[in-house]
Amino acid sequence: MAVAATDYTVTASNAGGSTSAPVEITVGVLATLADGFAAEVFADGLLQPAKFALAPDGRVFFNERETGRTRVLASDGTLRAAPFAETDVLASGHQGLLGIVLHPGFETNGWVYVQACVAGSGMESDRVRIMRYTEVDGMDAGTNATVIADDLP
């Protein structure tokens, strides 16, 4: 099963000049599933989801790598309009909001941990930080942002 083709123009340049050529890219299925299994789209239109965590009630928490937003999908795949939390991140290369995990006691404490690449300030260098957000009463909103670990390599 192939997804619709997308057209691009590729340009190559050097000291002698440049040239352009049209390129069509079609993405297809890269793997097959064992008999009795099927794949289906649960949610689409997401902005670079990097990692996800499943809540006991069926919600899916996930990070958008470049935007620094932690988002929530309802158990039916509906994307909540407002982000759960927003973290300032460096988003070039392999940086951004890279990890997420729910605390084992999430149902009672509402703790959501994220791993973020953040910019240093002043004499500090750029680094990785672990943040904890607290969800209150299933409201799909992170509060009480707390730095758990900072200045990780």
Side-chain angles (χ1 to χ4, degrees):
M1 173 175 77
V3 179
T6 302
D7 294 322
Y8 293 92
T9 299
V10 176
T11 302
S13 302
N14 65 18
S18 66
T19 186
S20 296
V23 176
E24 180 180 298
I25 298 175
T26 302
V27 178
V29 175
L30 300 177
T32 58
L33 299 174
D35 290 341
F37 291 89
E40 65 181 73
V41 174
F42 182 71
D44 60 7
L46 308 178
L47 297 175
Q48 293 192 334
K51 300 291 180 183
F52 68 93
L54 299 174
D57 61 7
R59 290 177 296 160
V60 178
F61 287 73
F62 70 94
N63 292 340
E64 291 178 343
R65 185 183 67 79
E66 287 188 1
T67 67
R69 294 185 296 221
T70 300
R71 307 293 304 270
V72 178
L73 290 167
S75 59
D76 65 0
T78 304
L79 179 65
R80 301 288 193 216
F84 174 81
E86 296 188 61
T87 307
D88 289 331
V89 297
L90 294 172
S92 62
H94 294 284
Q95 298 175 325
L97 198 55
L98 299 177
I100 186 168
V101 67
L102 305 182
H103 187 276
F106 173 78
E107 289 180 279
T108 55
N109 63 26
W111 290 350
V112 177
Y113 298 89
V114 297
Q115 174 191 5
C117 298
V118 298
S121 61
M123 299 294 289
E124 298 174 335
S125 61
D126 298 344
R127 60 190 177 275
V128 174
R129 173 179 289 162
I130 306 297
M131 300 283 300
R132 181 183 70 211
Y133 293 94
T134 303
E135 181 186 51
V136 179
D137 299 326
M139 298 301 295
D140 293 334
T143 62
N144 196 25
T146 304
V147 176
I148 300 299
D150 201 5
D151 202 15
L152 300 171

